[in-house]
Amino acid sequence: MGRAGFTLVELLVVMAIIGLLVAVAPMVARGVLPSLQAKADAKEVLASLRSARAQAIRDNQETAVVFDVEARRYGAAGTPGDELGSGVEMKVVTAQREVIETGVGRILFFPDGASTGGEVTLAADGQSYKITIDWFTGRVRMADRP
């Protein structure tokens, strides 16, 4: 009559496979995480811009979102803002009069919902997300580009 169970060799093979998976998982995740971080950051920037537009309409006053490309930060004027995740690069195109200093610009929303318009592109590992702000309507939308 045979005994139920595993042999030592079977246990060693399973342990070796688990060890290999544990060693390889961080390398795989490192390649995926920056592009996921770029998408998450793009969604947060999108929400921040939409919120600023809604606030301008609600409060009946101009509201700005400031972008500091070199510091990789963005947020409402007068606040420290949010920082992008590591490995995520930002490019901002805005009206010339909205450039505050080198590498720092803003997108302004007006009480009627219109804006100064522009584009914000976030990219990491070949994946990029382009957020466009229509100057006439103030509409904010995002598209991903491989």
Side-chain angles (χ1 to χ4, degrees):
M1 180 184 245
R3 297 180 128 181
F6 300 102
T7 66
L8 180 60
V9 172
E10 291 171 327
L11 289 174
L12 289 175
V13 168
V14 169
M15 294 299 286
I17 291 171
I18 290 172
L20 184 62
L21 290 175
V22 168
V24 172
M27 291 183 280
V28 172
R30 220 176 289 132
V32 173
L33 288 181
S35 61
L36 290 176
Q37 184 65 51
K39 186 172 188 173
D41 285 342
K43 287 181 177 183
E44 288 179 18
V45 170
L46 181 74
S48 182
L49 289 163
R50 287 179 174 165
S51 176
R53 181 176 184 264
Q55 181 181 347
I57 294 168
R58 182 191 69 224
D59 296 344
N60 198 34
Q61 68 179 26
E62 294 179 354
T63 305
V65 177
V66 178
F67 296 89
D68 186 337
V69 175
E70 292 178 17
R72 298 176 39 253
R73 298 183 78 77
Y74 68 93
T79 66
D82 296 315
E83 187 173 353
L84 299 175
S86 74
V88 179
E89 298 299 320
M90 175 171 47
K91 178 182 173 189
V92 178
V93 176
T94 188
Q96 181 61 38
R97 66 185 171 119
E98 299 304 326
V99 174
I100 299 167
E101 61 185 69
T102 303
V104 180
R106 69 181 184 168
I107 294 177
L108 193 60
F109 291 95
F110 302 107
D112 65 355
S115 75
T116 54
E119 294 179 354
V120 179
T121 304
L122 300 179
D125 285 345
Q127 186 70 31
S128 67
Y129 300 89
K130 181 179 176 182
I131 301 166
T132 57
I133 304 93
D134 184 88
W135 67 271
F136 187 69
T137 64
R139 180 178 175 208
V140 181
R141 64 184 189 277
M142 179 174 75
D144 58 333
R145 302 181 309 183

